[in-house]
Amino acid sequence: LLWQPSTHTHAHTPCFLSSLLSLSLFRQVYLPGAYETESKIPVLYYLSGLTCTDENASQKSGIQQYADEKGIAVVFPDTSPRGLNVPGESDSWDFGVGAGFYLNATMPKWKKWRMYDYITEELPSYLQTTFPNLDTTNASLTGHSMGGHGALTIFFKNHQKYKSVSAFSPICNPVNCPWGKKAFTGYLGVNEAAWKSYDATELAKAYDGPNTKVFIDQGADDDFLKSGQLLPENFEKAVEGKSNIELKLKMREGYDHSYFYIATFAEDHVNFHAKYLKP
């Protein structure tokens, strides 16, 4: 990416001790130029996918340039606890470290995997205290792959907290895909009712909140789409006929699961959220 931040913009990588996760966590915080002259800067959370850290999207997506134009801060959290030395935490790329799935684990071994509470409670409180010109009550969610799953599920479970939601290539129906079954069994056990509480398709079926629009962006040549990991068609079917959910599903011919794809369409997502964060 050729874009460079202007002299008026700032990227911070603060590390703080999470009382929820009992460890220090990094996250990238991008402040637009407007932060220095305005208060009540809205926040867009970007939740990343499997194997990612807080650095992947902040370095590769290019979303900051569009957020700066709209006066929106972007927060890039990490994807799991790190450094807890839980046996087996790094044995596979799709479970454990780098694969928190934005849920609160109930299995004792993984009890510190509480990324849902971290994203929805602890992180906003920290941001409001550390960056007083941010308005964390005026916030939206986006994400990629596992992070798209996180954005959708957190939105549907907390629609009163967030103004809008979008996702790149999200895991839409994890109770029915290999990634989701592995993660949910490991973190939540065999109780499939608990699985459904972190499944965007199941949550959309049950959603009875106010009218909302959901923007899902999907590369048509995504190998994970073809192998049945993402299942946007199940989400689409779930919201058919629901008067309170309007789905904008963009299938991008010739695009895959990569950050080249995300960087190409990041502007569309910032513009989508700006309509709700800065009406």
Side-chain angles (χ1 to χ4, degrees):
L1 296 174
L2 298 179
W3 171 77
Q4 295 292 328
S6 75
T7 57
H8 302 293
T9 58
H10 305 274
H12 297 262
T13 57
C15 181
F16 81 107
L17 180 63
S18 166
S19 58
L20 280 172
L21 308 183
S22 300
L23 78 166
S24 295
L25 281 176
F26 284 92
R27 86 269 334 121
Q28 305 282 329
V29 180
Y30 178 81
L31 302 177
Y35 183 84
E36 293 188 348
T37 58
E38 300 177 16
S39 60
K40 302 291 187 180
I41 298 294
V43 176
L44 177 61
Y45 295 96
Y46 184 107
L47 307 184
S48 292
L50 290 165
T51 75
C52 289
T53 70
D54 57 309
E55 295 183 338
N56 295 74
S58 65
Q59 294 178 2
K60 299 177 182 179
S61 70
I63 198 171
Q64 297 98 317
Q65 61 181 314
Y66 309 115
D68 186 64
E69 292 169 3
K70 299 294 185 180
I72 297 170
V74 187
V75 178
F76 304 91
D78 205 347
T79 55
S80 77
R82 296 178 191 271
L84 291 176
N85 299 316
V86 174
E89 68 177 16
S90 298
D91 286 356
S92 59
W93 63 272
D94 55 359
F95 184 83
V97 170
F101 270 82
Y102 304 99
L103 50 72
N104 290 336
T106 55
M107 299 302 286
K109 179 178 179 179
W110 304 102
K111 63 183 180 181
K112 294 299 183 182
W113 265 246
R114 297 179 61 190
M115 296 305 291
Y116 175 84
D117 279 353
Y118 171 66
I119 297 296
T120 60
E121 297 178 12
E122 190 171 45
L123 182 55
S125 177
Y126 167 81
L127 292 170
Q128 196 68 74
T129 300
T130 308
F131 304 102
N133 283 359
L134 295 185
D135 182 5
T136 57
T137 68
N138 187 22
S140 292
L141 295 154
T142 191
H144 174 228
S145 196
M146 178 186 72
H149 143 80
L152 291 169
T153 56
I154 289 171
F155 177 83
F156 281 120
K157 290 162 75 74
N158 303 272
H159 60 82
Q160 73 283 359
K161 284 188 175 183
Y162 302 99
K163 296 299 197 301
S164 53
V165 64
S166 72
F168 292 94
S169 315
I171 304 172
C172 289
N173 192 198
V175 301
N176 286 314
C177 78
W179 281 339
K181 291 178 180 179
K182 177 178 180 177
F184 288 177
T185 300
Y187 293 133
L188 304 173
V190 297
N191 180 3
E192 294 193 12
W195 296 12
K196 291 181 179 181
S197 70
Y198 292 106
D199 183 293
T201 296
E202 296 295 332
L203 291 169
K205 289 178 184 177
Y207 178 72
D208 61 359
N211 291 351
T212 192
K213 187 171 184 177
V214 177
F215 179 15
I216 292 179
D217 207 311
Q218 177 62 61
D221 288 349
D222 187 328
D223 287 340
F224 297 122
L225 173 68
K226 297 174 182 179
S227 64
Q229 295 282 19
L230 306 179
L231 302 174
E233 65 274 16
N234 291 3
F235 186 90
E236 184 177 30
K237 183 177 180 181
V239 302
E240 283 180 3
K242 287 189 71 77
S243 61
N244 59 345
I245 299 177
E246 179 185 351
L247 174 62
K248 177 183 178 182
L249 175 59
K250 293 286 290 185
M251 297 297 293
R252 310 284 193 176
E253 295 297 329
Y255 288 90
D256 58 12
H257 203 74
S258 71
Y259 272 98
F260 295 108
Y261 150 64
I262 295 170
T264 302
F265 299 109
E267 183 177 13
D268 290 358
H269 288 252
V270 172
N271 289 341
F272 171 78
H273 291 294
K275 294 176 184 178
Y276 300 93
L277 294 172
K278 304 192 75 174

